[in-house]
Amino acid sequence: MSPKIVVLTGAGISAESGVPTFRDADGLWEGHRVEDVATPEAYDLQPITVHRFYDARRAALAAVEPNPAHRALARLEDALGDDLTLVTQNIDDLHERGGSRRVVHMHGELLAAWCRACSARVRWTGELADLPPCPACGVTELRPDVVWFGEVPYHMDRIAMALAEADLFVSIGTSGAVYPAAGFVQQAARYGARTLELNLEPSEGTMWFREARHGRAGDLVPAWVDEVLAQLG
Ligand SMILES: [Zn+2]
């Protein structure tokens, strides 16, 4: 029987592909204060500014590629199928382009838009700043389908169920500072899962993990996946 594994990925895995993160040293996200572009209040005050910011992030996806860590997690999914739950805090599509097919985007996706008029969710690769009509209802109320600060992350029930059933919880490239994701390790451990951190440096939550390995995700993740696959035989 294969183990049930929950993997949580964060900004660190995308950073190795060149995706800038707002937790960089200056505390800014591509030159913007997070509260000016990533909150519902910012969107209500300055929707076009927020749209332009996400339009630029969406366009920038074309310049980045998945790295060996993303590809290794796709190999793990090939072997484990539904016994792997891959949860990401990232809004880019690098897991999908790395070959993963069942990604749980708890903070939404850059390549999706959400209509505030009819609640339709649609794949979106173009711009939103020119206020295009919703393909479903025709009203111009499309916003980026991303979870802003102060909003509730997506799929929390499904994630809680997977954590409760997990034999192993692995956190990859996360700061351990952003809740609720930072609490997943304790949730999983409470239900008896082993816990492993793979991160560039000890995260803020590193003390909660039974084991921690520190280095680049592009090195650590393929090596860990090889270990899991070897144990499967
Ligand atoms: Zn609509």
Side-chain angles (χ1 to χ4, degrees):
M1 211 175 88
S2 62
K4 290 190 185 298
I5 300 179
V6 176
V7 170
L8 170 70
T9 65
I13 192 170
S14 293
E16 288 182 26
S17 285
V19 177
T21 74
F22 64 83
R23 292 203 166 261
D24 285 344
D26 55 6
L28 299 178
W29 191 4
E30 292 285 278
H32 294 263
R33 296 191 317 156
V34 168
E35 54 267 41
D36 291 340
V37 291
T39 61
E41 293 78 15
Y43 185 65
D44 286 339
L45 278 172
Q46 297 188 301
I48 303 302
T49 300
V50 172
H51 277 314
R52 286 207 182 103
F53 176 78
Y54 284 95
D55 284 351
R57 306 279 73 70
R58 196 178 300 112
L61 290 178
V64 296
E65 294 290 338
N67 64 58
H70 295 105
R71 294 202 182 85
L73 290 170
R75 281 197 290 129
L76 188 62
E77 184 191 85
D78 286 342
L80 293 183
D82 288 334
D83 287 333
L84 173 69
T85 302
L86 174 56
V87 181
T88 187
Q89 297 173 280
N90 301 330
I91 59 175
D92 60 61
D93 64 339
L94 290 173
H95 280 303
E96 284 85 355
R97 281 197 274 149
S100 292
R101 292 181 299 272
R102 303 169 174 84
V103 187
V104 181
H105 280 274
M106 64 179 290
H107 289 163
E109 296 178 70
L110 267 175
L111 293 180
W114 170 36
C115 176
R116 297 210 297 182
C118 75
S119 297
R121 289 190 150 83
V122 291
R123 181 173 164 81
W124 203 265
T125 56
E127 301 195 339
L128 289 171
D130 54 354
L131 303 179
C134 167
C137 73
V139 177
T140 54
E141 278 286 356
L142 290 175
R143 60 163 269 187
D145 191 9
V146 298
V147 176
W148 286 324
F149 289 89
E151 296 183 323
V152 179
Y154 297 156
H155 312 299
M156 292 305 291
D157 289 348
R158 182 176 162 196
I159 294 167
M161 277 175 57
L163 290 170
E165 293 179 349
D167 298 303
L168 175 62
F169 171 74
V170 185
S171 175
I172 301 170
T174 75
S175 66
V178 179
Y179 280 83
F184 289 174
V185 58
Q186 293 167 73
Q187 245 174 295
R190 202 177 302 134
Y191 286 104
R194 286 195 305 123
T195 54
L196 170 65
E197 168 170 279
L198 304 177
N199 201 38
L200 196 56
E201 55 199 20
S203 74
E204 288 187 27
T206 195
M207 77 288 266
W208 299 109
F209 290 86
R210 183 160 131 185
E211 186 188 351
R213 303 177 190 175
H214 299 126
R216 290 173 55 83
D219 299 325
L220 294 180
V221 177
W224 168 69
V225 167
D226 287 344
E227 282 172 33
V228 174
L229 297 182
Q231 283 164 14
L232 290 178

PDB file of all heavy atoms in Angstrom, residues 115 118 134 137, ligand 1:
ATOM      1  N   CYS A 115     -15.970  36.235 -11.477  1.00  0.00           N
ATOM      2  CA  CYS A 115     -16.953  37.298 -11.706  1.00  0.00           C
ATOM      3  C   CYS A 115     -17.693  37.604 -10.417  1.00  0.00           C
ATOM      4  O   CYS A 115     -18.310  36.729  -9.821  1.00  0.00           O
ATOM      5  CB  CYS A 115     -17.933  36.872 -12.800  1.00  0.00           C
ATOM      6  SG  CYS A 115     -19.239  38.089 -13.060  1.00  0.00           S
ATOM      7  N   CYS A 118     -21.776  37.127 -11.150  1.00  0.00           N
ATOM      8  CA  CYS A 118     -22.451  35.822 -11.262  1.00  0.00           C
ATOM      9  C   CYS A 118     -21.649  34.687 -10.631  1.00  0.00           C
ATOM     10  O   CYS A 118     -22.081  33.543 -10.663  1.00  0.00           O
ATOM     11  CB  CYS A 118     -22.740  35.488 -12.730  1.00  0.00           C
ATOM     12  SG  CYS A 118     -21.290  34.976 -13.681  1.00  0.00           S
ATOM     13  N   CYS A 134     -17.668  39.665 -18.431  1.00  0.00           N
ATOM     14  CA  CYS A 134     -17.634  38.262 -18.010  1.00  0.00           C
ATOM     15  C   CYS A 134     -18.172  37.383 -19.142  1.00  0.00           C
ATOM     16  O   CYS A 134     -19.234  37.663 -19.685  1.00  0.00           O
ATOM     17  CB  CYS A 134     -18.500  38.106 -16.759  1.00  0.00           C
ATOM     18  SG  CYS A 134     -18.870  36.386 -16.334  1.00  0.00           S
ATOM     19  N   CYS A 137     -21.825  36.078 -17.957  1.00  0.00           N
ATOM     20  CA  CYS A 137     -23.017  36.928 -17.756  1.00  0.00           C
ATOM     21  C   CYS A 137     -22.932  38.266 -18.474  1.00  0.00           C
ATOM     22  O   CYS A 137     -23.920  39.001 -18.522  1.00  0.00           O
ATOM     23  CB  CYS A 137     -23.274  37.151 -16.261  1.00  0.00           C
ATOM     24  SG  CYS A 137     -22.107  38.268 -15.459  1.00  0.00           S
TER      25      CYS A 137
HETATM   26 ZN    ZN B   1     -20.402  36.886 -14.648  1.00  0.00          ZN
END
